[in-house]
């Protein structure tokens, strides 16, 4: 989450944008970018110190995925309508995730298990309960 932190410089107090890490620590954007570049250039299996990120430690590839997801979330949060509407409900997300899991493994699936918005697009792979 990006917030602003007051600092004092030669010209007095000013607000500096900071990013809050999962461990609660706040870092400036240049510091975050430098850390991102270090993690991106690291070996994917390298173990990252726990105090530097979330307090538990993790491999570099997992940390890089978390950093990218966080950046995408911060960018998307500013889009009008982000997080609003029926497709953000837990039920719709669960249904879409289940269909995405099932379809590569089966040729067809039940229509009632598919979210309404996806039924038209996936009609060739869906069946009604009485068809089989």
């Amino acid at each position: 989450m990006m917030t602003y932190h007051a600092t004092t410089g030669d010209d007095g107090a000013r607000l500096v944008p900071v990013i809050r890490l999962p461990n609660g620590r706040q870092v400036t954007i240049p510091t975050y970018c430098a850390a991102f570049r270090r993690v991106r250039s690291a070996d994917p299996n390298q173990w990252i110190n726990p105090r530097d990120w979330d307090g538990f430690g993790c491999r570099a590839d997992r940390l890089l995925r978390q950093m990218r997801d966080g950046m995408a979330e911060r960018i998307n949060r500013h889009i009008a309508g982000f997080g609003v509407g029926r497709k953000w409900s837990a039920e719709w997300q669960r249904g879409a995730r289940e269909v995405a899991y099932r379809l590569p493994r089966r040729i067809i699936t039940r229509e009632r298990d598919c979210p309404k918005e996806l039924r038209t697009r996936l009609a060739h792979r869906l069946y009604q309960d009485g068809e089989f």
Side-chain angles (χ1 to χ4, degrees), residues 32-44 46 48 60-61 63-65 67-68 71:
Y32 188 84
C33 291
F36 182 83
R37 286 190 294 271
R38 273 196 315 267
V39 171
R40 188 178 60 190
S41 65
D43 176 42
Q46 179 180 344
I48 303 296
D61 59 346
L63 178 57
L64 186 60
R65 171 57 42 208
M67 293 177 89
R68 284 182 175 154
M71 282 190 289

Side-chain angles (χ1 to χ4, degrees), residues 2 15 46 62 71 82 97-98 102 117 124-125:
M2 188 161 73
L15 293 177
Q46 179 180 344
R62 179 174 170 258
M71 282 190 289
F82 180 77
R97 189 171 35 253
E98 287 175 2
R102 252 190 243 112
E117 292 83 4
H124 64 288
R125 298 186 73 175

Side-chain angles (χ1 to χ4, degrees), residues 25-128:
R25 185 174 159 207
Q26 294 180 349
V27 296
T28 62
I29 292 176
T31 303
Y32 188 84
C33 291
F36 182 83
R37 286 190 294 271
R38 273 196 315 267
V39 171
R40 188 178 60 190
S41 65
D43 176 42
N45 292 321
Q46 179 180 344
W47 191 257
I48 303 296
N49 190 344
R51 73 169 184 82
D52 293 338
W53 184 250
D54 61 0
F56 295 104
C58 60
R59 292 184 358 199
D61 59 346
R62 179 174 170 258
L63 178 57
L64 186 60
R65 171 57 42 208
Q66 288 178 1
M67 293 177 89
R68 284 182 175 154
D69 289 346
M71 282 190 289
E73 194 271 331
R74 280 188 285 282
I75 291 167
N76 291 336
R77 194 180 321 144
H78 297 288
I79 297 173
F82 180 77
V84 178
R86 68 184 182 283
K87 291 186 180 177
W88 289 92
S89 72
E91 180 181 339
W92 193 92
Q93 293 286 327
R94 184 178 57 249
R97 189 171 35 253
E98 287 175 2
V99 167
Y101 175 77
R102 252 190 243 112
L103 284 178
R105 291 158 180 79
R106 295 184 188 171
I107 297 171
I108 55 176
T109 190
R110 294 183 304 210
E111 183 176 324
R112 70 178 183 194
D113 293 338
C114 185
K116 291 177 184 173
E117 292 83 4
L118 298 175
R119 288 179 187 170
T120 304
R121 183 173 177 87
L122 301 173
H124 64 288
R125 298 186 73 175
L126 300 175
Y127 72 91
Q128 299 288 332

